[in-house]
Amino acid sequence: METGSTTDVEATGAGPVWTGLPPGLLRMRRLLLVVWLGLAAVGLAVLLGWLVGPAWAAFALLPSAGAGFGWVVLGRNWRSWRYAERADDLLISRGVLWREETVVPYGRMQLVEVTSGPVERYFGLASVQLHTAAAATDATIPGLDPAEAERLRDRLTALGEARSAGL
């Protein structure tokens, strides 16, 4: 057994080794927030200035205030996401106000897929989604480095095949 591995940590009772999401996901989400709310502010200012009058265009500052609030909320949400690979299952924890922890046993996994939309690809990110026998299981790890996502997919697939062999 290697020193510092997840199994050693669990054996000593210290708990699982959690891995957070990379900062690229936070950068992407914050950039999208600023772009969309910036466009909304400009559009609202032009519309109000044209239809009602220049004084009413000041209400276009409301999306800017929303962007400031959203900036903080996105940071807290990003910090809440983490995952841990254990000997028999994968833990995914997320949430600020309502904490949610999902435990996905390797033997129950049916499909592990790596997805990356056009915006995610531009920022060099990918998501890992786990499908299990339970339809209600929401097991997704967003915003990973593509190499880490592929490594995780391969490892989870191998562990899933090994654990489900007895079923």
Side-chain angles (χ1 to χ4, degrees), residues 6 12 27 30 36 40 47 50 76 82 92 94-95 102-104 112 116-117 135 140 147 149 155 157-158 165:
T6 305
T12 61
R27 277 193 302 275
R30 282 182 170 168
W36 285 111
L47 189 64
W50 181 54
R76 291 191 61 182
R82 58 191 184 156
I92 302 171
R94 65 191 169 279
T102 304
V103 180
V104 183
V112 181
S116 185
T140 302
R155 175 170 160 68
T157 301

Side-chain angles (χ1 to χ4, degrees), residues 96-108:
V96 177
L97 293 177
W98 287 271
R99 300 279 313 152
E100 188 174 330
E101 192 166 295
T102 304
V103 180
V104 183
Y106 296 135
R108 303 288 290 168

Side-chain angles (χ1 to χ4, degrees), residues 7-163:
T7 309
D8 285 346
V9 173
E10 289 174 7
T12 61
V17 177
W18 292 99
T19 305
L21 299 181
L25 178 66
L26 180 60
R27 277 193 302 275
M28 178 191 76
R29 288 180 175 174
R30 282 182 170 168
L31 180 65
L32 290 174
L33 173 78
V34 169
V35 166
W36 285 111
L37 287 181
L39 289 173
V42 169
L44 186 62
V46 168
L47 189 64
L48 287 175
W50 181 54
L51 293 177
V52 184
W56 287 89
F59 280 105
L61 295 175
L62 290 176
S64 300
F69 177 73
W71 189 276
V72 173
V73 169
L74 285 174
R76 291 191 61 182
N77 179 270
W78 171 76
R79 282 189 296 279
S80 74
W81 276 86
R82 58 191 184 156
Y83 65 96
E85 299 173 63
R86 297 195 306 181
D88 296 320
D89 51 29
L90 177 74
L91 299 176
I92 302 171
S93 178
R94 65 191 169 279
V96 177
L97 293 177
W98 287 271
R99 300 279 313 152
E100 188 174 330
E101 192 166 295
T102 304
V103 180
V104 183
Y106 296 135
R108 303 288 290 168
M109 285 189 288
Q110 295 179 335
L111 174 68
V112 181
E113 62 182 347
V114 175
T115 59
S116 185
V119 176
E120 285 179 311
R121 280 194 309 273
Y122 179 79
F123 284 93
L125 300 172
S127 297
V128 174
Q129 186 170 11
L130 300 117
H131 299 277
T132 64
T137 302
D138 178 20
T140 302
I141 305 173
L144 295 174
D145 179 64
E148 171 65 10
E150 290 176 12
R151 183 206 63 83
L152 191 59
R153 178 200 58 205
D154 294 343
R155 175 170 160 68
L156 295 176
T157 301
L159 289 169
E161 289 173 357
R163 299 296 194 279

